[in-house]
Amino acid sequence: MAKTLGSGKTITFQKALYDGESSIFKEKRRGDNYQFRMWIKEEKKHYQKSLRTDDYDIALEKAKKLTKDLMAHGMSDKRVFSISVEELVERYLEYRKNDIDSATGITRKRWMTLSSQLKYFIILCGEKTKLSDLTHDMLYEYSNMRNEVKKGEMATIRTEKSTINHCIQYGFRNKLIHFEKFDFKQIIIKQEAIGKRDTFTDKEYDKLIRFMRSYTALKNCDALINRSNGIVVETKEQVQLERLMVRDYILALTNSCLRVGEANQLNWGDLLSFERHMLESEYEDNQKENVLVEIRVRWETSKVRKNRTFFCRGGQYFQRLKERQQFTNDEDLIFSMNGKTHLHHKRRAQHWHALMTGIGITNYKERKLTWYSCRHYGITQRVISNVDLIDISQMAGTSVKHIEMTYLKYRKEQSRTAALKSYKKQEGQIKHL
């Protein structure tokens, strides 16, 4: 059996395999065990490992098998020097950081959401798993696999799958992984389930409006006291001021159809103008003055990354809030107690719990009634009122198609309700029974 002696001071033995594609050798500093080495052309790196034996015949068989395996890797586009799933996610998130606050990019909050959505990708595939060991169909049953870890909403899981494949596509473009996307099992959603939104009934919303009057009354506001030392953290007046802001926040969301994130980032400088108008009423003697406000939503605060400007009712809520608040410069946040930060999510959750339980909706979590429901209610009312869908689209910052899929069912329901109502004449006017 022919052996080729090494010519250097370190290598004591060396033999080429498969016309020089790979080799086995011995090295002084590594003892008697045979070593394996192969040049990976596609990745321009040497692959080297110990064969963990000092028996030549065993080492030769191991080296031949390893050479064939590595050649097969190259033919399947799999990388030999593969990074882990965890490393891919880290690189992807670092790459997406460059998109934060760019005109065609994402918000910082959206970037944080990406990190959260990729969490289950890491859990299901294994953080240390090499990308070369992944296959395009290993997450085919992602929905079921994900729900076994933690139950998630269908919409949430669909978004996670989209984010995961964006991450995989990033890896494919950068030659880190050998396939372009995962094949996920398609989820068929019934048409009537598309666009379903959780919002208030008219009766519940009216009840909320009335309840907020008592919720913001000074006599119903208790000072916040530190239990450990008895020191007053917030006076009754300070508690009331915050509750009054929360009330106007809800009324502004409903009238403007702003997204919660857009409202939270709205500055006083984004209110461009105010106009007073007498609103037309079904009854001539029941006209009411309302204030229109022109609102600018900046692209960097918009979910769809587009500027939009629109008029909406409820300008008086912004005006009275400005009269009460201390920080009202153009750059100050509108719905904020210090002009710099909006209410912490825990504080907002406390207010929402108090409001929902106060009007008797104790199952608001099961119904998924949230701050976002105010936007849904506002859009729904405009659809019911037959406002042109293009006008609603421009105000809400969403597509006409989305409104058609999501909200038009309410128009159908309203039409059915109207057809079943009875009418009678009274003093020349038509009134509902």
Side-chain angles (χ1 to χ4, degrees), residues 259-274:
R259 296 180 177 89
V260 171
E262 293 171 343
N264 289 344
Q265 299 177 80
L266 206 63
N267 295 333
W268 287 109
D270 293 323
L271 305 184
L272 304 182
S273 66
F274 292 90

Side-chain angles (χ1 to χ4, degrees), residues 67-80:
T67 302
K68 291 178 181 178
D69 289 343
L70 292 172
M71 286 180 173
H73 257 74
M75 293 176 66
S76 65
D77 291 330
K78 289 186 177 181
R79 293 180 66 88
V80 174

Side-chain angles (χ1 to χ4, degrees), residues 323-339:
E323 291 174 0
R324 293 194 305 264
Q325 296 298 90
Q326 180 180 355
F327 304 96
T328 57
N329 291 327
D330 283 353
E331 67 277 7
D332 290 329
L333 294 176
I334 295 176
F335 301 107
S336 169
M337 298 306 294
N338 58 16

Side-chain angles (χ1 to χ4, degrees), residues 83-96:
I83 63 174
S84 68
V85 170
E86 185 179 44
E87 289 176 292
L88 172 65
V89 171
E90 289 175 353
R91 292 192 188 188
Y92 172 72
L93 291 175
E94 190 63 31
Y95 162 73
R96 292 308 304 271

Side-chain angles (χ1 to χ4, degrees), residues 375-386:
R375 167 180 163 89
H376 298 327
Y377 184 78
I379 295 176
T380 300
Q381 293 305 303
R382 282 159 180 78
V383 170
I384 289 173
S385 301
N386 291 319

